[in-house]
Amino acid sequence: MALNSFETFKNLFFKHAAMFKKNFVAVQSEFGESWDADFDAHLEKLFKDDEGAYRDAIQGYVKFSLSAMRLQQRFNLTHKYEEATYQEVCERVYLDEDQMMKWYLPGIFVSHFLWKHHYRQFLFHQNKFLPLLDSNPDKRFYEVGTGTGFYTVQLFRRYPQCVGHGIDISPHSRQFTSNHVKAWGPDHSFVPLNVDINIAQLEPVPCIQSIEVLEHLSDPQLF
């Protein structure tokens, strides 16, 4: 089977992110052909044959990874996470359209495949979480903290008839997620929401997924 998107991305990655080539090869070796095929399918849907978009995603991955490494080194020295207010984080990251759309979100998307623990999380979601919904005819869901929409897409891939609402504080995450969902099927029923879940009085639904959100919150117990 030809994996054109994957091969294009891989060649560009080895050229523009050579410092992470060893990690790419190690992850590919560990997870094998199914990883290649998954990566290819997602690349083809989200970026098609746009090499410029691939380069942006690769640059985003490099920036995102280096930032994570620096923060980890700082934590290793201080044993404390850096604190920031909601407003500070919004202004610095979540409301910055260029940063979010050009490198932050594309970079996180790539990390779902190139960080081993992220890909294992994806496999857990596929094999353990999604089957819990198989027997329920009501396929409505909320996703709280959509990010790139990577996991939103997985629900629609398994249940094309499902109806979803995606909640995120960043308008650019909501837009990126909407674009991502449409790339997998323009008829999917998905609506982004800009609400505070603490006061929104949302209608109960069978499925709520919230992935990698707790660590960003000042009061996870309230959440």
Side-chain angles (χ1 to χ4, degrees):
M1 180 177 64
L3 302 176
N4 297 329
S5 297
F6 174 77
E7 291 300 332
T8 298
F9 181 89
K10 181 178 179 180
N11 291 334
L12 289 170
F13 189 91
F14 285 6
K15 179 179 179 181
H16 297 289
M19 65 184 298
F20 292 107
K21 179 178 178 179
K22 183 177 179 180
N23 177 72
F24 190 111
V25 172
V27 177
Q28 184 179 24
S29 176
E30 177 169 340
F31 295 111
E33 292 182 357
S34 61
W35 179 86
D36 296 1
D38 274 335
F39 205 173
D40 179 79
H42 283 80
L43 289 168
E44 195 280 327
K45 291 292 187 181
L46 186 57
F47 300 130
K48 303 190 185 308
D49 58 356
D50 186 346
E51 291 193 12
Y54 285 14
R55 285 191 291 270
D56 285 345
I58 291 166
Q59 182 184 33
Y61 173 78
V62 171
K63 288 183 178 180
F64 184 69
S65 297
L66 291 177
S67 175
M69 291 164 66
R70 283 193 293 269
L71 290 171
Q72 183 64 50
Q73 288 177 335
R74 203 170 299 162
F75 177 81
N76 291 344
L77 290 173
T78 64
H79 302 292
K80 293 181 180 179
Y81 290 111
E82 290 189 357
E83 293 186 6
T85 66
Y86 170 83
Q87 192 61 37
E88 287 172 340
V89 173
C90 281
E91 292 176 358
R92 193 168 63 211
V93 182
Y94 298 131
L95 298 182
D96 186 328
E97 181 177 6
D98 189 63
Q99 180 178 188
M100 290 290 286
M101 300 298 281
K102 287 282 285 185
W103 74 265
Y104 185 80
L105 293 170
I108 292 176
F109 165 79
V110 172
S111 79
H112 286 300
F113 291 93
L114 293 187
W115 288 6
K116 290 183 180 180
H117 67 289
H118 272 193
Y119 190 67
R120 291 192 186 107
Q121 181 174 273
F122 164 70
L123 294 177
F124 178 87
H125 185 265
Q126 295 286 97
N127 298 325
K128 300 295 184 179
F129 177 73
L130 290 182
L132 298 175
L133 307 178
D134 285 350
S135 61
N136 193 331
D138 187 349
K139 294 294 192 292
R140 294 174 299 151
F141 74 88
Y142 295 121
E143 179 158 14
V144 184
T146 61
T148 66
F150 181 78
Y151 283 97
T152 316
V153 160
Q154 308 315 320
L155 281 159
F156 283 107
R157 290 180 71 196
R158 190 176 182 101
Y159 312 112
Q161 77 280 19
C162 68
V163 177
H165 292 80
I167 301 166
D168 201 287
I169 65 173
S170 170
H172 311 303
S173 280
R174 297 195 298 271
Q175 184 61 57
F176 196 96
T177 296
S178 294
N179 295 345
H180 201 168
V181 171
K182 288 177 183 176
W184 283 87
D187 297 329
H188 289 331
S189 181
F190 175 77
V191 178
L193 295 177
N194 180 22
V195 299
D196 182 342
I197 65 168
N198 297 313
I199 60 175
Q201 297 183 329
L202 298 171
E203 180 183 359
V205 297
C207 172
I208 301 174
Q209 63 177 18
S210 185
I211 299 170
E212 297 191 340
V213 172
L214 286 176
E215 67 269 28
H216 296 281
L217 304 178
S218 58
D219 191 347
Q221 292 287 355
L222 176 61
F223 176 77

